[in-house]
Amino acid sequence: MSHFSVLTLSVRELVEYSLRSGSIQSSFFSSYRMLDGIEGHKYVQKKRPSTYKSEVTISGNISFQGYSFTLRGRIDGLFRSLDYFVLEEIKTTSRPLSSITRDDNPHYWAQAKCYAYLYSKEHDLSSIVVQLCYFNIDTKKERTFSEVYNIKQLESFVFSLLEEYLSWIKLVINEREKRDLSLSSFLSFPFPQFRKGQKQMIDFVRSHISSGQIAFCQAPTGIGKTIAVLYPAIEYLQSDPSAQIFYLTSKTTQKAIAEKTLDLLRKNGLKIKSLTLTAKSQICFKEKSVCDPSLCEYADGHFDRINDAIKDIFPKDSFTRERITKYAQKHRVCPFEFSLDLSLFSDCIICDYNYLFDPRVKLKRFFDFNSGSYVFLIDEAHNLVERARNMFSAELNKRTFLLLKSKTKEILPHISKLLGALNKHMINFRKDCEQKGKRDIALLSPPKKDFIRDLKKFIVESEKWLALNILTDFREELLELYFDVRSFLNITELYDSNYVTYYSKQSKGDLLVKLFCIDPSILVNKELKKGHSSIFFSATLTPLDYYVNLLVGERRKNILELDSPFPPENFLVLINDTISTKYKDRNETFNEIVEAIVSFIETKKGNFMVYFPSYEYMQKIVPYVKEYERTRGMEIIVQDKEMNESDREIFLKKFHKHGKRTLVGFVVLGGIFGESIDLVGEKLSGVVVVGVGLPKICFERELMKNYFDAKMKQGFHYSYTFPGLNRVLQAVGRLIRTEKDRGVVLLVDDRFTNPTYKRLLPCYWKNVVIVKNSKEISKHTLEFWEKKRKRKKKKVE
């Protein structure tokens, strides 16, 4: 819908809002059935008379109760029959035609009657035939129902829909007018002065949003990145009132910061609608997210109550998870579907990356086919490379087919037979591995056509049964496999030279087949083009060319690299380049690493984090350090391999206390303590990073290495060096969080001073000292803390 001077909306939007009723039902209609539906339309249209016109675009202006509407849509078919024009709406189905009655689908009739009114009004017709045709995509048979309507009947019907719609849209208009007034009157920067680099970032973002471009900004901690991107994005709403901002991030903590930033602007008088979109599995009130009205009271009758729920909450400005659940419970509606409806009328949507990029869950109402005036703000953008690879990849396991083949044999023999055929395909893939004497094999093409054909057959047959909603002991497993196969087939549609297919033998005779997206840049860029502008930002986009290349497919794009806003004297980096942490050398350097860690920690009573490249490596070192625990006055805590979010919080709470002993936390690079930790002031005094963070060597990493070697001769860097370095920089970034923080970092690895790594270390690390032994570590660390003590004493005097 455009700005409110003229209300432009589709016939579908009008009908869906004004006639909403009933319950949420699980949908089992794949893209392949959708393609069958498109072909079904064409099949019917070809059978019509030669005068038949298909896919006729229609648009008309309507004045109603002082408002101007532009209604638009597309008519499936038009033809002349005897004395009447016939307007046809075609609907494909897999239901038996004999079970369908004239009054089964009021929405279909409503849509056709709206089209009939617009066409009759445009061509000055006094009456018209509306024909609803159901076409069975399996039997290729059709059943039609028709009615003659005069122009007054049609106008009365359309006006009744508009009246219902106006009761809602008046509220929207009122809220939009408040927003626009606040944008012109109250949109001011909420702080008395800018931080170092912040004004530069705001101007950079403003310029690239205004010109509709993609841009990248590396802004170290402390600049105030969130306000620096949101402020100019909100400014843009003044020039394009219909624009929507999508604040995309993978972290719950970052979502909370975005919410807090918007609230800060609201305190200055800004009126803006924001929605925080929470995953269905997390916001659902039921133990299992099954949209079945017989099992969920929120799904049952949801559409009978949803319009009232939206009208009730809409005067509020912030649609947070807490507020949505409160109103959803009040009106007994599904909180997730409630959120999706609110998203259409929100100025800023805070959500995970997957709602834009993931083919499985992206917001189809925004991004399926059409582009729009969307501004994408992509936070912690360094995380998107791996996330995009996962979102655009898909996999299947042989074991699942085999187990379900057995479970469905008695009740669903036809599906069991298909599962058996799919299991045989997987056996043949496993034999290919065995014949080549390898655990894993990779191909530069999608799986064989007969395998894909049988997967499609499985989808068609299983969705027919799943739609019947029959409860069995295997239903949930079949449903899960249905979605996995559907996802796999969807990814085959995206398959190109940036993919490989690999087969991997698993334990107990199992086999994995995976469509692995090595370079997601083309697919990411395709989604970005559905918006007006995209801003990628993070504290760690090093090297920038790597991220630009893998996210938008270009070597250089609009780039801004900012310096740290914090005093350089508050931060010391020590690099011990005499110790090798390479896998082959680890057993020989345990004692040296322990000495380096202990000499670093014992210079000050405080809290320290020690990062290792792997859990296994860390476990080998910890017992050596624990020997010093009692004698050196330390308390050592170690990350557990199975830690959940609650365990993580308990671990971090220890850093909020200032005990008599030094606290040392041993954790893993890139893990749950690698990002989104704010331990300010005395809560963290120092960080040790052992190794350069290289990911573990595995088949996928080697596939990436070979791909990028062939493409740009940078295979090792793209698959190992650059991802590893990001883990290191993220770990170091946990230390200095505010301008008052002071701390020391110790990097332990002989590779940190080779030319590759020296070139990649941040330019704002002003105080870097190379140390050769534990004595030098102690010396420089003590000097740093002594300088801090003297500065503090001088300040007091």
Side-chain angles (χ1 to χ4, degrees):
M1 191 185 73
S2 70
H3 198 40
F4 51 78
S5 55
V6 176
L7 299 170
T8 301
L9 71 159
S10 69
V11 166
R12 182 188 289 271
E13 287 176 292
L14 175 64
V15 169
E16 285 183 351
Y17 179 84
S18 300
L19 295 183
R20 284 208 275 198
S21 64
S23 303
I24 298 173
Q25 302 282 353
S26 295
S27 174
F28 300 100
F29 205 71
S30 70
S31 59
Y32 301 98
R33 298 302 267 179
M34 287 176 67
L35 290 173
D36 287 342
I38 294 168
E39 291 303 314
H41 274 65
K42 291 178 181 178
Y43 183 91
V44 172
Q45 289 163 345
K46 284 179 182 177
K47 290 177 63 180
R48 296 299 183 247
S50 58
T51 57
Y52 189 91
K53 296 179 181 178
S54 59
E55 307 301 327
V56 179
T57 301
I58 188 76
S59 179
N61 298 320
I62 302 170
S63 294
F64 180 71
Q65 293 188 5
Y67 291 87
S68 295
F69 289 88
T70 297
L71 272 184
R72 52 183 170 75
R74 189 167 57 191
I75 301 166
D76 288 337
L78 276 167
F79 64 99
R80 185 77 184 244
S81 176
L82 300 175
D83 297 329
Y84 291 103
F85 277 95
V86 178
L87 183 146
E88 184 171 52
E89 184 75 5
I90 303 168
K91 298 297 179 184
T92 55
T93 182
S94 57
R95 284 176 59 188
L97 294 175
S98 59
S99 70
I100 299 173
T101 67
R102 182 199 179 283
D103 299 322
D104 271 2
N105 294 289
H107 283 63
Y108 295 169
W109 283 108
Q111 211 167 312
K113 284 159 76 174
C114 288
Y115 293 146
Y117 174 66
L118 294 174
Y119 189 81
S120 298
K121 189 166 177 276
E122 182 180 334
H123 293 86
D124 200 24
L125 303 178
S126 59
S127 57
I128 191 171
V129 175
V130 174
Q131 180 167 292
L132 184 55
C133 171
Y134 289 95
F135 177 76
N136 187 292
I137 54 181
D138 297 315
T139 65
K140 301 291 187 291
K141 303 283 186 182
E142 62 181 82
R143 185 176 189 184
T144 60
F145 302 93
S146 59
E147 290 284 339
V148 180
Y149 294 98
N150 63 47
I151 187 71
K152 286 189 177 180
Q153 288 174 308
L154 294 171
E155 183 175 73
S156 176
F157 177 75
V158 171
F159 281 9
S160 70
L161 298 181
L162 289 172
E163 187 166 17
E164 175 65 26
Y165 188 75
L166 261 181
S167 68
W168 154 243
I169 213 64
K170 284 178 182 176
L171 178 59
V172 175
I173 291 170
N174 183 50
E175 292 295 309
R176 286 278 175 90
E177 287 175 341
K178 290 178 184 176
R179 181 203 69 178
D180 291 351
L181 178 63
S182 75
L183 284 170
S184 59
S185 305
F186 303 108
L187 183 56
S188 57
F189 196 69
F191 300 104
Q193 61 186 31
F194 296 104
R195 296 180 185 179
K196 180 184 174 184
Q198 194 173 50
K199 178 69 164 58
Q200 190 180 352
M201 184 172 175
I202 289 171
D203 291 342
F204 175 81
V205 172
R206 180 189 291 121
S207 169
H208 290 92
I209 290 178
S210 178
S211 56
Q213 296 184 67
I214 296 172
F216 286 75
C217 182
Q218 179 170 256
T221 299
I223 282 176
K225 293 183 287 292
T226 307
I227 187 70
V229 295
L230 276 172
Y231 183 71
I234 292 168
E235 279 185 325
Y236 179 70
L237 295 175
Q238 293 181 79
S239 58
D240 185 354
S242 65
Q244 286 181 288
I245 301 162
F246 285 83
Y247 191 99
L248 301 150
T249 181
S250 61
K251 303 288 183 182
T252 303
T253 50
Q254 296 306 119
K255 291 177 185 177
I257 292 170
E259 287 178 345
K260 188 177 177 181
T261 303
L262 290 170
D263 285 340
L264 194 63
L265 290 166
R266 290 187 183 107
K267 286 179 181 177
N268 279 15
L270 181 68
K271 290 280 293 181
I272 187 171
K273 303 288 182 192
S274 66
L275 164 74
T276 302
L277 191 54
T278 306
K280 186 177 183 177
S281 60
Q282 294 175 19
I283 202 170
C284 181
F285 295 137
K286 310 300 286 185
E287 190 174 334
K288 289 185 178 180
S289 303
V290 180
C291 294
D292 183 340
S294 66
L295 300 173
C296 176
E297 64 273 28
Y298 299 96
D300 185 23
H302 166 90
F303 293 112
D304 297 329
R305 302 181 293 272
I306 187 61
N307 286 358
D308 287 339
I310 293 172
K311 289 175 185 175
D312 192 15
I313 198 175
F314 202 68
K316 304 293 183 183
D317 286 333
S318 178
F319 308 138
T320 60
R321 175 179 179 172
E322 295 74 23
R323 183 163 283 156
I324 285 167
T325 54
K326 175 184 174 182
Y327 279 79
Q329 287 173 329
K330 176 182 176 182
H331 291 273
R332 273 196 315 119
V333 294
C334 168
F336 185 68
E337 292 294 328
F338 187 22
S339 300
L340 294 181
D341 280 344
L342 287 169
S343 70
L344 293 169
F345 302 94
S346 297
D347 302 301
C348 181
I349 298 164
I350 304 166
C351 61
D352 190 270
Y353 302 144
N354 59 4
Y355 291 109
L356 171 59
F357 298 109
D358 194 332
R360 303 161 185 84
V361 299
K362 70 178 178 181
L363 298 173
K364 290 180 171 56
R365 61 189 69 198
F366 293 103
F367 311 128
D368 211 2
F369 301 110
N370 301 321
S371 58
S373 187
Y374 309 130
V375 175
F376 302 130
L377 306 177
I378 302 164
D379 193 4
E380 301 288 344
H382 62 275
N383 285 316
L384 185 56
V385 173
E386 287 302 322
R387 281 290 304 278
R389 280 199 181 107
N390 290 332
M391 288 186 282
F392 293 121
S393 298
E395 61 186 49
L396 294 170
N397 283 283
K398 174 189 174 299
R399 187 170 181 271
T400 312
F401 293 126
L402 183 60
L403 289 174
L404 272 170
K405 171 184 175 288
S406 175
K407 291 184 178 183
T408 57
K409 188 174 182 180
E410 296 298 324
I411 299 175
L412 300 171
H414 60 301
I415 290 179
S416 179
K417 188 177 179 181
L418 278 170
L419 290 166
L422 290 166
N423 184 57
K424 284 180 182 177
H425 286 299
M426 298 293 261
I427 290 171
N428 291 333
F429 297 149
R430 187 179 65 197
K431 285 179 180 177
D432 289 342
C433 293
E434 290 165 352
Q435 286 170 4
K436 293 179 181 179
K438 294 183 178 180
R439 180 181 180 274
D440 310 290
I441 59 171
L443 301 172
L444 299 177
S445 58
K448 295 174 182 177
K449 289 181 180 179
D450 53 351
F451 179 59
I452 300 298
R453 179 201 64 213
D454 286 345
L455 287 174
K456 290 179 180 179
K457 285 182 181 178
F458 167 76
I459 285 291
V460 171
E461 292 304 317
S462 59
E463 69 188 12
K464 285 180 185 177
W465 184 81
L466 287 165
L468 298 174
N469 220 11
I470 299 170
L471 294 178
T472 63
D473 58 352
F474 59 76
R475 189 180 190 279
E476 289 301 312
E477 292 171 76
L478 185 63
L479 179 63
E480 186 175 349
L481 179 60
Y482 166 82
F483 284 118
D484 286 344
V485 171
R486 199 166 84 168
S487 172
F488 192 89
L489 289 171
N490 287 340
I491 296 300
T492 64
E493 299 293 313
L494 304 175
Y495 201 100
D496 60 12
S497 60
N498 297 303
Y499 277 83
V500 296
T501 304
Y502 77 80
Y503 306 93
S504 178
K505 289 172 63 180
Q506 310 289 296
S507 61
K508 298 181 180 178
D510 197 11
L511 181 100
L512 170 79
V513 54
K514 183 166 183 176
L515 308 176
F516 180 43
C517 179
I518 296 179
D519 182 353
S521 60
I522 291 175
L523 296 170
V524 169
N525 208 5
K526 181 182 175 184
E527 299 306 317
L528 296 179
K529 286 178 180 176
K530 293 174 182 175
H532 169 73
S533 174
S534 302
I535 309 295
F536 293 87
F537 60 104
S538 169
T540 54
L541 289 175
T542 300
L544 264 161
D545 278 354
Y546 165 77
Y547 290 101
V548 173
N549 199 19
L550 287 183
L551 292 174
V552 297
E554 299 174 25
R555 289 300 181 94
R556 298 296 291 181
K557 200 69 182 171
N558 308 305
I559 283 171
L560 176 66
E561 294 182 72
L562 295 169
D563 204 348
S564 172
F566 300 141
E569 62 269 18
N570 287 4
F571 180 54
L572 173 66
V573 178
L574 303 178
I575 299 178
N576 186 328
D577 65 350
T578 64
I579 300 174
S580 171
T581 69
K582 294 185 181 77
Y583 189 81
K584 64 182 178 63
D585 298 325
R586 287 179 182 177
N587 289 336
E588 306 300 321
T589 57
F590 281 172
N591 289 330
E592 294 173 71
I593 289 171
V594 172
E595 285 180 19
I597 293 170
V598 173
S599 62
F600 178 77
I601 289 167
E602 66 181 359
T603 57
K604 173 181 166 54
K605 190 181 82 171
N607 297 335
F608 297 83
M609 284 270 199
V610 182
Y611 288 88
F612 281 83
S614 71
Y615 184 80
E616 290 74 22
Y617 190 14
M618 179 181 73
Q619 285 292 87
K620 289 179 180 179
I621 294 289
V622 167
Y624 291 87
V625 182
K626 281 207 166 188
E627 293 178 11
Y628 294 86
E629 191 170 14
R630 192 185 308 168
T631 58
R632 304 294 174 94
M634 299 179 193
E635 179 187 356
I636 293 173
I637 56 176
V638 183
Q639 176 184 344
D640 185 80
K641 205 169 188 177
E642 305 300 324
M643 265 188 177
N644 57 30
E645 192 64 30
S646 175
D647 298 328
R648 177 181 181 269
E649 291 306 311
I650 293 169
F651 188 97
L652 289 174
K653 275 183 181 178
K654 287 184 172 288
F655 287 83
H656 290 253
K657 299 173 184 176
H658 304 292
K660 295 179 180 179
R661 297 196 295 169
T662 288
L663 178 68
V664 187
F666 282 80
V667 295
V668 177
L669 282 168
I672 58 174
F673 299 103
E675 294 188 44
S676 304
I677 296 173
D678 273 321
L679 296 172
V680 301
E682 295 296 322
K683 293 173 186 174
L684 191 63
S685 300
V687 165
V688 181
V689 180
V690 177
V692 291
L694 299 184
K696 190 175 182 180
I697 294 173
C698 65
F699 188 63
E700 284 192 0
R701 288 280 159 192
E702 290 300 294
L703 288 174
M704 290 161 55
K705 183 169 91 64
N706 295 337
Y707 172 92
F708 289 111
D709 263 338
K711 188 174 182 178
M712 59 183 69
K713 306 296 182 188
Q714 291 207 66
F716 189 83
H717 289 332
Y718 268 60
S719 56
Y720 294 102
T721 305
F722 299 154
L725 179 70
N726 189 270
R727 294 178 181 183
V728 172
L729 297 180
Q730 281 292 323
V732 172
R734 300 313 95 209
L735 183 58
I736 305 296
R737 309 300 295 173
T738 73
E739 61 183 11
K740 293 181 180 179
D741 290 353
R742 290 172 173 82
V744 189
V745 168
L746 173 62
L747 305 179
V748 181
D749 195 289
D750 57 7
R751 287 167 285 190
F752 278 119
T753 54
N754 76 31
T756 296
Y757 283 94
K758 282 179 73 175
R759 188 176 68 252
L760 294 171
L761 296 181
C763 60
Y764 53 84
W765 288 6
K766 309 295 186 186
N767 298 323
V768 179
V769 178
I770 310 301
V771 291
K772 301 298 181 182
N773 50 52
S774 57
K775 187 177 179 181
E776 290 184 15
I777 292 171
S778 297
K779 174 180 176 293
H780 289 286
T781 309
L782 282 167
E783 286 176 357
F784 175 85
W785 293 119
E786 181 62 20
K787 285 178 184 176
K788 177 198 168 186
R789 189 187 66 77
K790 287 180 178 178
R791 281 197 299 268
K792 193 173 181 181
K793 183 179 179 182
K794 189 175 180 180
K795 193 173 181 181
V796 171
E797 291 172 351

